Amino acid sequence: MRYTLSTVIVLLGFAINSRAQTIVDYQHRIDIINSNIYKTFYNKKAGLYFETNNAADNKGNYSFLWPLCALVQAANEQEEADPSKQYIAPVLRAINKYYSARPPAPAYQAMVARKKVDSRFYDDNEWVAIALMDAYDRTQQKQYLDISKMIYKFLLTGHDQVGGGGFYWQEGKTKSKNTCSNGPAILVALHLYKATGQKAYLDTAIATYNWTKQHLLSAQDGIYYDAIRVPEMKVDSAYYTYNSGTMLQSAVLLYNATHEKKYLDDAQDLARSAEKYFYKDGKLPGGYWFNAVMLRGYLELYNIDYNKTSLQFIIDDANRIWTQERDEHNLLGTKKVKTLIDQAAMLEIYTRLMNADF
């Protein structure tokens, strides 16, 4: 079919106007969610956040670290959209209240440190480092790099050769090596390699990628299992979207770092398999933040192949959530009690989609 020049101009104008309206819609959602977080989930005096909007469920405690891992990443995306604002600062001040200097290496623990000595999870720390390295790439602020290097040193205390390599999930618990601790470890190492050029980081990333792919990639479904028990090497066959997300993003970033096509092939195969497995009946599984992490991988791949159709299902699901899973207070989630992590996840998703170069 041939188009006249005037028709092309009309179609182009329509596309531009449509994208402009989409950005306005995303910004509207972002403003509402951000306002709700600081109105409902934030104690300004303490500089800390609540896990839910229900005091009985919170049991007098502030949030676990995990929701803040989601919020600090969303804050980085917001600053990318509007660098004149400081969205990261209040979240990072809160995260610093989870800091624990105890041996063998400093890191962040699961609960506010003044409350109690608590467990430290390798994945929680990795999510913080990933967000801060994204911020470092954007701003070159040294504190973000310094914290990420500290976290990397902590991660190394959770690595050994039981089962041939890999990172444990929780400090002191040596029975489980999870995709959720190995996929993000690859990303932390690759970010640090990009920032410093030190080959040891790249070596860690490649070794961890190879180990995770060997032991946790499902030959049947083409996506990643949740964990493997060591030393017996028994797989936990559960699937979660974020595990495929981190490994998808890792494959793309390894391709960028090495220019070896096998990593891009891995990424494209995984992207097709994850959509096929997870997107059923017009929706993704519950767990907004898991899906936010998966979106990161698809956007990383989009930056290589510019194939927007490969992530249209995530866009459609995000729009469905705003329409179907929002209460009268504009809080998001399918349950009566709303959570900080759900608000932070959707804040990240809408901001990333607004920032994307579609």
Side-chain angles (χ1 to χ4, degrees), residues 133-338:
M133 286 307 298
D134 282 344
Y136 177 76
D137 287 345
R138 184 173 50 79
T139 68
Q140 299 295 297
Q141 286 192 34
K142 187 173 180 293
Q143 65 162 331
Y144 299 148
L145 179 61
D146 290 343
I147 293 172
S148 300
K149 286 181 175 180
M150 175 197 77
I151 288 172
Y152 180 81
K153 290 178 181 177
F154 170 67
L155 299 184
L156 293 181
T157 70
H159 184 278
D160 62 25
Q161 290 303 311
V162 176
F167 290 85
Y168 293 105
W169 175 53
Q170 181 179 352
E171 184 180 27
K173 306 289 186 181
T174 57
K175 297 294 185 183
S176 175
K177 293 186 174 181
N178 296 43
T179 305
C180 76
S181 50
N182 283 276
I186 301 166
L187 295 174
V188 174
L190 288 172
H191 274 304
L192 289 170
Y193 173 66
K194 179 182 177 182
T196 67
Q198 294 180 18
K199 187 172 179 294
Y201 293 126
L202 180 60
D203 291 342
T204 295
I206 291 173
T208 306
Y209 181 89
N210 290 340
W211 181 89
T212 309
K213 182 181 175 183
Q214 177 184 351
H215 294 291
L216 287 162
L217 178 62
S218 165
Q220 176 180 335
D221 295 310
I223 56 178
Y224 278 83
Y225 295 123
D226 186 49
I228 192 165
R229 291 189 60 82
V230 291
E232 61 268 34
M233 305 302 283
K234 181 180 179 181
V235 168
D236 177 345
S237 59
Y239 294 135
Y240 300 105
T241 52
Y242 74 151
N243 289 328
S244 290
T246 57
M247 292 304 293
L248 171 55
Q249 188 175 12
S250 294
V252 176
L253 293 183
L254 279 167
Y255 171 72
N256 291 342
T258 67
H259 306 294
E260 293 186 31
K261 189 173 181 296
K262 65 180 181 180
Y263 295 118
L264 181 57
D265 292 341
D266 284 353
Q268 291 170 334
D269 288 345
L270 180 52
R272 286 189 292 267
S273 297
E275 178 181 3
K276 180 180 179 182
Y277 184 86
F278 289 115
Y279 192 60
K280 301 287 178 63
D281 299 322
K283 63 190 301 186
L284 285 167
Y288 299 159
W289 184 74
F290 286 4
N291 300 337
V293 174
M294 187 169 71
L295 172 62
R296 301 174 196 176
Y298 278 86
L299 285 173
E300 207 74 68
L301 182 58
Y302 173 80
N303 290 333
I304 299 293
D305 64 17
Y306 298 103
N307 179 16
K308 184 185 175 184
T309 59
S310 69
L311 51 85
Q312 187 62 48
F313 73 103
I314 304 179
I315 298 171
D316 291 344
D317 189 66
N319 290 331
R320 180 194 63 78
I321 287 168
W322 187 257
T323 302
Q324 298 179 5
E325 298 177 3
R326 176 169 50 103
D327 72 9
E328 66 275 18
H329 304 293
N330 288 313
L331 293 169
L332 294 156
T334 57
K335 297 179 180 178
K336 183 177 180 180
V337 174
K338 308 304 181 185

Side-chain angles (χ1 to χ4, degrees), residues 18-28 354:
S18 177
R19 177 60 182 164
Q21 184 58 52
T22 298
I23 290 172
V24 169
D25 291 343
Y26 283 142
Q27 187 62 65
H28 176 66
M354 183 181 73

